[in-house]
Amino acid sequence: MKNFKTLVVVGLQWGDEGKGKVVHYLSRNADYIVRYQGGNNAGHTVVVNEKEYILHLVPAGILENKKCVIGNGVVIDPEALYNEINWLNSIGIKVSPKNLFISNHAHVILPYHRFLDAVREKTQNIGTTQKGIGPCYADKYARSGIRICDYLEKDTFLDLVNKNLDEKYPLIKEFISRDELLKKIINQHRLYSNFIKPFVVDTTDLLIKVITSGKKVIFESAQGTMLDVDFGSYPYVTSSNPIAGGIPIGTGLALKYVNKIVGIAKSYTTRVGEGPFPTEIKQQKLQEFLRTQGKEYGATTGRPRRCGWFDSVVVRYAIKINGIDELILTKLDCLKGIEPLKICIAYKYKSKLLYDFPVSRKLQHSVKPVYIKTGGFKENIRGITKYDQLPNNVKKYVQLIEKYCGIKINMISLGRDRNEIIFR
Ligand code: IMO
Ligand code: MG
């Protein structure tokens, strides 16, 4: 995994696969780490020397002192960015315009987007993170969005804010008066625009120079394939394209610059928020057991994550959509003590077997998983660094995943610390 020019790390399930740890680990071998979609709905957890860091906007490579880029496909909440940069600096991780570069094309999340998120949630019931992500992307495509370059021109910004409020204020008037909202936006702008300005560059030009000069780049996706707005479990998705195909659009880099695509799958499945989840565990006790062992609480919202069995229908689909070259399996240790273990190999609808994730909402909600069972393990497997030293049942579980996903697993993560990794 050291041998790459550019490498993409994508999630193959519904997010929270452990991308933060993997990107942090791999970033040792890279020069630049790039976010290309999503916003501060992401929560990338990295543990260094038993200390936990949760990053929302700044790429996880910052903890390895790498240069970091927030590409044009990301939606940026200036307040969240300001807070995250200040927090990182306050704990001794230096973030400055020398190591963080922000695209002038990226769109800005403003307070009215967060209010709109709350309003829409009432009728849509998607279980969003309430960070204003969906409404901000909606504005981008409706051509009423405000980009970072607009944000930095005060007149342009104020003109656009007023136009947006004319359109949106009637929808959110239950939350705040228009004057108060405008005042809040202007006050925040005064503080954040000067702060952000030195970080803003043409990140596409920067990345082309970086890559053509032979430096190594990792693209860090947020969310996961099943949350992709085009290919996920629509409408229970996020509003961007976490899949590898999101990179050219979200960075401005031509297709030829993307070389290697690494997929991350957790050893079981979780999802936060609403939406279909065929392999969700129905027994309350087991669901809670797995949630506790996996510390499955949302890194962004603190919500308990829904837990389920490994779903090879989902992962096979994600491998196909992303064109995965290498697979990394995470959190294998968290399955300790569960007997038996189950892996979903297909879905059943009425009496028909389905091997692909269905596109129909009706089917997504009504398919029944078909499982194979295999023996569990009681041993503590954290700390093991050689595949051969794993208990037989663990190896069998890994091999079954490989069999049903049709791909070899190159790396297994079994613990929160970055050295708790097995290479194969
Ligand atoms: P990382 O990068 C898990 C989910 C939300 C909700 C849906 C839409 O940590 O894997 P949004 O606020 O994006 O409009 O919400 O997407 N969601 C995530 N779930 N991990 C994430 O990011 C997520 N980002 C969004 O819970 O169901
Ligand atoms: Mg998350």
Side-chain angles (χ1 to χ4, degrees), residues 278-316:
T279 65
E280 184 164 21
I281 293 173
K282 298 285 183 296
Q283 306 102 292
Q284 212 49 40
K285 263 202 172 136
L286 187 54
Q287 164 91 228
E288 271 161 31
F289 182 79
L290 188 51
R291 183 179 301 131
T292 306
Q293 263 191 185
K295 293 199 168 64
E296 296 295 352
Y297 292 88
T300 298
T301 58
R303 287 178 286 176
R305 295 180 186 139
R306 298 158 63 191
C307 297
W309 300 110
F310 186 89
D311 187 340
S312 43
V313 178
V314 160
V315 175
R316 259 194 325 259

Side-chain angles (χ1 to χ4, degrees), residues 22 33 39 52 62-63 136 144 188 201 257-258 266 283 322 327 333-334 339 344 357 365 372 383-384 403:
V22 171
I33 318 297
E52 183 182 87
I62 201 78
L63 300 173
C136 183
S144 50
Q188 289 191 349
V201 297
Y257 292 112
V258 182
K266 191 147 59 180
Q283 306 102 292
N322 289 288
L327 183 62
D333 55 303
C334 302
E339 185 65 49
C344 168
F357 196 83
H365 280 285
I372 49 157
I384 294 179
K403 176 176 167 192

Side-chain angles (χ1 to χ4, degrees), residues 14-17 19 41-44 117 126-134 221-224 227 236-239 271-274 299-300 303 305:
W14 278 279
D16 303 316
E17 298 92 351
K19 297 178 291 290
N41 48 349
H44 294 170
D117 215 348
I126 290 185
T128 77
T129 59
Q130 302 283 300
K131 303 286 181 193
I133 306 292
S221 79
Q223 294 85 45
L227 289 172
Y236 299 96
V237 294
T238 191
S239 300
R271 94 170 283 176
V272 196
E274 300 305 315
T300 298
R303 287 178 286 176
R305 295 180 186 139

Side-chain angles (χ1 to χ4, degrees), residues 2-14:
K2 284 181 187 155
N3 197 10
F4 65 89
K5 285 187 194 144
T6 67
L7 177 153
V8 190
V9 175
V10 289
L12 302 183
Q13 293 149 327
W14 278 279

Side-chain angles (χ1 to χ4, degrees), residues 230-250:
D230 283 273
F231 295 99
S233 50
Y234 192 88
Y236 299 96
V237 294
T238 191
S239 300
S240 65
N241 291 110
I243 61 168
I247 293 171
I249 302 289

